[in-house]
Amino acid sequence: MTTEATNSKFKQRVFSGIQPSGGLTLGNYLGAIRRFVDMQEGGIETIYCMVDLHAITVWQDPAALRHQTRELAAGYLAAGLDPKKSILFNQSQVPEHAQLGWVFNCIARLGWMNRMTQFKDKAGKNAEKASLGLYAYPSLMAADILLYHATHVPVGEDQKQHVELTRDIAAKFNHDYGVDFFPMSEPVIEGAATRVMSLRDGSKKMSKSDPSDASRINMTDDADTIAKKIRKAKTDPEALPSELDGLKDRPEARNLVNIYAALAGISPQAVLDQHGGQQFSAFKPALVDLAVDHLAPISTEMARLMQHSDEIDAILRDGAARARAIASPILQQTYDIIGMLR
Ligand code: TYM
């Protein structure tokens, strides 16, 4: 059956999540949150989660985890997510995620998990010492998505493999039980910044876990810090080309052009139309202005919201109740399909 035929019976619904496992980066913002906000305005139901159960697949200090979960919520709100338009909640308040995750642990195959590149990257050479949760991580992520019968999943490039696995799990469940119950969720990977790279090394993804703070812009960085990091960003001695082809073997230059494009809401070619021929000594200050104009108000608003953590907690509790109202019947139907007694 084609994806369209399978999905036609499902209401369009957007689901995505971010781990509260450290501070938010510009990569999270441009690759995910900004696009969450765009989709919120698209007339489709939108559900955005703080995936705290995923975060603990790697040890987290409990007080830090609570702080980071609130800070992530503050980031969602400061960037423009509106709890009246979107459901915002943290995963552990909706126990159905873990329950459906267990069912999917029994659907997913070891061979599928062994192909997951994020597990290999995160577990590193010492996979024997990685938690079982880290290994099963993608199956819980499939549960996050399918618990809402989500049809669209906005993510950065690095999550594509996990969303494809989600489709494999849905297809195997539907096949094994002879039902058409779970949709084939589509990854939505769009825009100029689906893979924002490190400011220190254009071959590495910008990441909250990079030991070098200079490699990333944090959403909590103030204007001076943002300016300093962009000014120090690694580049090459050439001027910017006027055509995209000229960026092919220049990962650092390409990254800064993509960041500019995503922040300005224009295409990378439009950036080159405006700045082609310029040296980085001219382009970087333009990027600093754009980044500071865009990001400083968000970090200021995050800091303000963090002074009102009781309000954040209330928003998340309300979001969890609304999420549960959707998730609970879908879990119940899943249990009925697989033969659990009520
Ligand atoms: P996480 O927390 O690593 O990242 C959250 C989102 O940010 C995107 N992202 C980036 N995009 C562009 N450039 C970058 N450098 C960059 N770094 C991160 C990620 O692609 C992601 O969209 N497994 C997920 C969390 C998750 C989830 C889900 C996502 C759990 N359940 C269900 C969608 C649906 C993760 O670790 O994202």
Side-chain angles (χ1 to χ4, degrees), residues 15-21 24-33 35-36 49 51 54 72 76 91 97 118 122 137-138 140-145 153-160 162-163 166 193-198 204-208:
F15 181 94
S16 197
I18 297 184
Q19 296 191 69
S21 53
L24 274 174
T25 69
L26 182 65
N28 298 133
Y29 175 66
L30 293 177
I33 298 184
R35 301 185 31 256
F36 296 178
C49 187
V51 291
H54 278 108
L72 176 54
Y76 276 10
Q91 192 185 28
H97 287 252
Q118 185 166 304
K122 283 203 175 177
Y137 178 116
L140 179 61
M141 177 161 160
D144 298 340
I145 296 167
V153 187
V155 281
E157 183 66 44
D158 62 339
Q159 295 301 315
K160 186 167 184 233
H162 288 162
V163 183
T166 300
T194 56
R195 190 170 173 81
V196 178
M197 308 309 280
S198 155
K204 272 173 42 188
K205 192 185 73 166
M206 182 181 285
S207 159
K208 48 195 153 200

Side-chain angles (χ1 to χ4, degrees), residues 96-236:
E96 286 81 359
H97 287 252
Q99 291 174 287
L100 188 62
W102 176 258
V103 175
F104 287 169
N105 283 347
C106 303
I107 299 288
R109 306 288 95 181
L110 288 184
W112 301 358
M113 294 295 161
N114 288 337
R115 284 197 291 276
M116 294 296 113
T117 56
Q118 185 166 304
F119 176 77
K120 290 182 203 161
D121 291 348
K122 283 203 175 177
K125 290 197 187 75
N126 217 347
E128 294 280 312
K129 290 243 166 77
S131 72
L132 187 54
L134 189 65
Y135 192 61
Y137 178 116
S139 147
L140 179 61
M141 177 161 160
D144 298 340
I145 296 167
L146 294 173
L147 192 52
Y148 300 92
H149 281 178
T151 52
H152 295 86
V153 187
V155 281
E157 183 66 44
D158 62 339
Q159 295 301 315
K160 186 167 184 233
Q161 192 183 36
H162 288 162
V163 183
E164 283 166 358
L165 182 93
T166 300
R167 296 160 62 95
D168 291 341
I169 289 177
K172 182 162 167 57
F173 181 97
N174 288 346
H175 173 267
D176 288 0
Y177 291 101
V179 291
D180 185 15
F181 184 62
F182 287 118
M184 294 294 119
S185 313
E186 300 276 356
V188 185
I189 302 171
E190 284 168 0
T194 56
R195 190 170 173 81
V196 178
M197 308 309 280
S198 155
L199 298 178
R200 306 303 304 158
D201 176 352
S203 68
K204 272 173 42 188
K205 192 185 73 166
M206 182 181 285
S207 159
K208 48 195 153 200
S209 55
D210 193 312
S212 160
D213 192 58
S215 71
R216 63 180 159 265
I217 293 175
N218 303 302
M219 294 306 288
T220 47
D221 285 345
D222 61 20
D224 282 350
T225 312
I226 295 172
K228 213 177 291 160
K229 286 179 177 175
I230 292 176
R231 266 191 244 111
K232 282 199 177 156
K234 185 175 170 201
T235 45
D236 56 43

Side-chain angles (χ1 to χ4, degrees), residues 191-193 242 244 247 254 256-275 283:
S242 46
L244 286 179
L247 290 173
R254 189 172 59 231
L256 295 187
V257 168
N258 284 344
I259 291 173
Y260 191 107
L263 284 170
I266 59 178
S267 69
Q269 182 57 53
V271 178
L272 296 182
D273 293 343
Q274 291 168 15
H275 297 277
F283 180 63

